[in-house]
Amino acid sequence: MSAHPMNAFPTNASVLIDQVTKIYGARAALTEVNLHLDPGQCVALVGHNGAGKSTLIKLMLGLIRPTHGQVRLLGEDPAGAHAARLRRAVGYLPENLAFHPSLTGQETLDFYARLKNVARAGNTDLLARVGLEAEAARRRVGTYSKGMRQRLGLAQALLGQPKVLFLDEPTTGLDPALRQVFYEIVQELRAAGVTVLLSSHALTELEGQTDRIIVMNRGVKIADGTLADLRHLADLPVRIQATGAPAGAVADALGTLGQVSTNGHAVECRCAGGDKVAVLRRLTNLPLADIAVMEPSLDELYAHFLRREQAA
Amino acid sequence: MSIPLILAGKEIRDGLRNRWVVAATLLMATLALSLTFLGSVPTGTVGVGALDVVVVSLSSLTIFLVPLIALLLSFDAIVGEVDRGTMSLLLSYPVSRGQVVLGKFLGHLASLAFATLVGYGAAGAALVATGADTGPEGWRAFAGLIGSSILLGAVFIALGYLISALVRDRGAAGGIAIGLWLVFVLVFDMALLGVLVADQGKTVTVGLLNWLMLANPADAFRLFNLTGTAQVSQFAGMAGIAGQIHLGPVTLLAVLAGWTALPLGAAALIFSRRQI
């Protein structure tokens, strides 16, 4: 069993996905996926629609079973005999969130608290924490805006202090203020040792919010690591914009280290990530007015990994 | 509180909020009251056992109305929640799928029982208010009618869940539910009658007829109520049959209970294997 991939994972992982394949009819939604999520980690699951993000989350929740391979949630089978007990320690915000429209916000949260056997005394505070005021909580969910429903959705996911939190496209269609609230809460949870899995296709907003990024494409995991890891792996050119010096002077200073082009009144240099410091050192010898270093964004990294996948 | 009761409570509250319970209760009360007063016209005021006449009229009302209300309540219960997305959230909570089916069943049955009790109760109360002759045996038959109507409702709620657990599409579930209602309430009896006439009693014996009647919960309900007491069977024109049918009330109620338990169990089993 020593060659078994599971042994490569830390034993205290909150979630393990081991050689999992999921087939619907004739279509493979996931193909031999391996991954693990650790306590206190905020992981972003990134990919197009149909890349397999929601399928992965449903497998981790035990809503569906893998065709091959195995899934472990807090060390146990999430679709097994202890599923009910396991789910007490889990929070879930589905992608297409729907509530019963005839119940009020407060009643909805009370209903879910009862199901999770959580004291309802804390519900008012929980609603306040996600920014639903008392007046809104007394209204029927049918009258809620998308943002308010999403706030209520986050509140129910936080019931009973979960150890693992699955947030499927949590910020899609939310205003920037609410996104801020969202990520603040996620950071607090992460600090408290909660495992947070965020799926998203809005990549730019994930920068700086997550410890790790897993990139999915058509049911296959194509990248997994920290943002720095992924940058290193992709080895995309760093762009440096300099103003105040003519393009010719910059090109002379860099020599073979980078390519130079003009971008408006600025000079743009592209160089390999490893040459970044050397290039900066040479540039600073020139009489520059300003300098800006642009690392490849998450969007660019994602596009790169997709391109690499298609070329393969 | 146990999980099925929490879920049942939510279903009842849903039913009250979206006026389902009120509408069903008003419908049953209106129809029951009109039948009560129209039904007493032919017997006039000399009629002995006005309540027995009411039991006969309301039995027919139940056979048409209760399965329809029950199926309309239940056909959407599983497929609808899966469709809207409320089911995946519910199942991420510490609840089993069997508990979900049981909780919904208890909630829907309570709503239907309330509508039946109040609707038919109104008819009974109106009869008392007009000073009609009601004997203790009449009341027993009336109570049996209400109880068995609720049981017939339970059968069709369970059948509705079975449909809801089987199909992937809400429209299909609605269509199948209406089809099921037509079969059990109209087509089955007509077909049975056709077979009896064509057969002229050669192969279809009384024993076989007994079994055929049990294959339709609506017929089991009809037999229970219309042959229950001598008075009622006389009014229903069922006295002849009552003499030939060898199925006691306990057997008939057991059949209805079986018609509830089996589809309900099957619905829970199929739902628990379904991919959400």
Side-chain angles (χ1 to χ4, degrees), chain B residues 12-30:
Chain B
I12 292 171
R13 179 142 59 177
D14 251 6
L16 290 171
R17 290 275 167 86
N18 60 28
R19 313 272 190 278
W20 239 108
V21 176
V22 177
T25 307
L26 280 178
L27 183 67
M28 293 193 77
T30 312

Side-chain angles (χ1 to χ4, degrees), chain A residues 22 24 58 61-65 83-85 87-88 90-94 96-104 107 111-117 140 156-157 159, chain B residues 1-4 6-11 13-19 81 84-97 99 104 272-276:
Chain A
K22 177 69 190 173
Y24 286 114
K58 283 179 176 181
L61 280 165
L63 292 179
I64 53 177
R65 293 165 193 267
R85 186 169 48 75
R87 291 197 194 117
R88 244 181 267 284
V90 169
Y92 172 45
L93 178 58
N96 296 313
L97 181 63
F99 291 113
H100 297 278
S102 64
L103 300 185
T104 68
E107 285 168 346
F111 167 65
Y112 287 113
R114 267 190 227 111
L115 287 181
K116 231 175 183 173
N117 207 7
R140 290 193 185 185
Q156 66 76 29
L159 279 169
Chain B
M1 213 189 337
S2 79
I3 298 282
I6 297 169
L7 294 168
K10 204 223 84 206
E11 289 300 331
R13 179 142 59 177
D14 251 6
L16 290 171
R17 290 275 167 86
N18 60 28
R19 313 272 190 278
E81 282 220 38
R84 283 189 294 272
T86 44
M87 191 60 90
S88 54
L89 182 59
L90 179 61
L91 293 180
S92 76
Y93 276 78
V95 299
S96 75
R97 298 193 188 188
Q99 287 172 326
K104 280 179 172 292
S272 62
R273 295 187 177 171
R274 186 173 168 156
Q275 307 261 3
I276 299 301

